[in-house]
Structures are given as C-alpha cells and as structure tokens.
Amino acid sequence: AQSVTQLDSHVSVSEGTPVLLRCNYSSSYSPSLFWYVQHPNKGLQLLLKYTSAATLVKGINGFEAEFKKSETSFHLTKPSAHMSDAAEYFCVVSEGNYQLIWGAGTKLIIKP
Amino acid sequence: DGGITQSPKYLFRKEGQNVTLSCEQNLNHDAMYWYRQDPGQGLRLIYYSQIVNDFQKGDIAEGYSVSREKKESFPLTVTSAQKNPTAFYLCASSINRANEQFFGPGTRLTVL
C-alpha cells in the first residue's frame, strides 16, 4: 500500500538560507511523485513532478527535488529562501490508479 | 485562458440545508476530483470521476453526492447528512491516470 510521510509539520528558515522539506514514501511499484504548494486560502499549484526519468527534478520558483529509491525519499530543496516561499507544501505519491496519496503537509515559515 | 473555476469562493449554510458547489474546467481533462481540506490536514478525497456519467466514492464520500453529466462540469452537493461540513473544498482535474492534477481556487463552506 502506498503512503507518504512528511517528516516535519513546520520548518522555519531565515530569508536567503537553504530550504529542505523532507518526504518519505512507500510504494509497491515505480511511483510518480509530486510536490504541490498552497498559499493561504488558495488552491494548490504543482511545483514539480517525478515520473521515472531524471532523478533530480527541477521545478518552478527555484525548487528542486531528488528521487532516491534506496532511501524511498523525495526531499524538496531550494538554495535560497524568499519571503514569498512562505506557504504549505505537500508531497504526493501516485501509482497511476487515479488516486493521489497526500502527505499531511509542511508549513514553511520564512524569517526576515 | 485554460483552467479550473470554482464558485462561490465563500459559502454559508444553515444546518439542515443542502448546498451545491460548482466546478468547471476547460482543460479538456477526462478525470475530475473533489477534495476536502481541514485545518492542519492534508487533502482527503471525496469523489472522483474518470469519464462522463461515471464516478466513484473516495475516502470520505458519506454525506456528499456528485454528478458528471458534462465533461467540463463536476458539481458537489453537500447534504444535510454530512455531520461536519465546515471545510475548504478543492476541485481538481487531470488528463489521464498517473498525470498531475490541476486545482481550482477552492470554496470555503461554513455551516452556521
């Protein structure tokens, strides 16, 4: 059975410092993996997706994520945080059966 | 401009009333979804539809109903049987299985 664990409910970083949001998954097959971002009271926007091509995936707004099969991880990173990055981030796994399995979310706080 | 629209943005309902949330997409996607989001939680799937005139229950379908008479439209009715309907409701669509989902801006429903 699929599952997704976001290891931190909140992450706080200073503006200009690196961001790391951690995600571990379990899947019986080769999964598709996604990161979505949600700003307060808004819908969700796709940041990036992994679908068995390159293991390092680049997304929008300077974010990237690395698929590590041996560690069953898909952590999201950004070299330098910006105030506009403050939002909630969701890691998602899919085995192609129309149902996405959502992590509980990580709230990213940016300190000035 | 392609996308997903949801209306209304805010909705207030008295206890015991049914209410219908609108979701329309012009992306020509076959699949559509309804999710519920509660504070501090990830998304939970209510219903999904893979094609017109067909839909399946998700994880929390009790107290909700849907229809899919047109490819573009997937309205959700929150019935009086839903015991705790106050939440943020998100509609999404995708082109086919395993592809990423695109989200509308959401409807915040409050029961008075």
Side-chain angles (χ1 to χ4, degrees):
Chain A
Q2 303 170 78
S3 67
V4 178
T5 303
Q6 291 185 242
L7 297 162
D8 306 291
S9 61
H10 293 78
V11 169
S12 181
V13 302
S14 297
E15 191 176 19
T17 64
V19 174
L20 170 65
L21 305 183
R22 299 182 294 166
C23 173
N24 283 82
Y25 71 92
S26 70
S27 174
S28 304
Y29 305 99
S30 296
S32 296
L33 293 156
F34 310 88
W35 275 99
Y36 283 85
V37 61
Q38 185 180 31
H39 289 90
N41 296 310
K42 301 287 186 186
L44 282 84
Q45 181 183 21
L46 180 69
L47 272 180
L48 51 80
K49 65 177 180 179
Y50 166 78
T51 54
S52 76
T55 56
L56 182 63
V57 183
K58 294 191 183 299
I60 61 172
N61 301 335
F63 285 94
E64 62 182 37
E66 187 171 8
F67 174 70
K68 291 187 176 180
K69 188 173 181 178
S70 60
E71 299 176 12
T72 61
S73 70
F74 190 57
H75 301 335
L76 182 70
T77 60
K78 182 173 180 177
S80 176
H82 191 272
M83 293 301 291
S84 61
D85 295 328
E88 190 153 21
Y89 293 79
F90 293 95
C91 182
V92 186
V93 65
S94 169
E95 287 183 352
N97 62 352
Y98 273 88
Q99 185 155 348
L100 303 186
I101 306 299
W102 292 79
T106 298
K107 192 160 287 187
L108 178 62
I109 300 159
I110 311 295
K111 297 178 289 187
Chain B
D1 234 359
I4 302 177
T5 57
Q6 291 185 244
S7 60
K9 187 172 182 179
Y10 298 97
L11 188 56
F12 298 90
R13 188 194 92 175
K14 292 182 181 178
E15 280 194 30
Q17 286 182 336
N18 291 358
V19 63
T20 298
L21 282 59
S22 169
C23 177
E24 304 275 334
Q25 55 100 357
N26 61 5
L27 300 168
N28 201 32
H29 287 172
D30 285 319
M32 297 187 74
Y33 313 81
W34 274 106
Y35 291 92
R36 170 181 172 138
Q37 186 178 31
D38 293 284
Q41 297 189 31
L43 276 65
R44 292 185 289 169
L45 183 66
I46 304 172
Y47 268 98
Y48 66 101
S49 168
Q50 299 183 26
I51 55 172
V52 173
N53 292 323
D54 184 59
F55 48 83
Q56 283 79 41
K57 293 181 179 180
D59 300 318
I60 56 164
E62 185 175 349
Y64 299 97
S65 66
V66 294
S67 62
R68 186 88 186 274
E69 296 176 2
K70 297 186 299 182
K71 189 175 186 178
E72 302 79 21
S73 178
F74 191 41
L76 173 74
T77 297
V78 184
T79 75
S80 57
Q82 169 49 233
K83 297 195 186 321
N84 185 20
T86 294
F88 190 49
Y89 290 87
L90 288 157
C91 179
S93 71
S94 63
I95 193 166
N96 58 29
R97 60 193 296 166
N99 272 36
E100 66 270 26
Q101 295 179 9
F102 294 86
F103 284 81
T107 292
R108 186 165 297 283
L109 173 63
T110 303
V111 174
L112 304 172

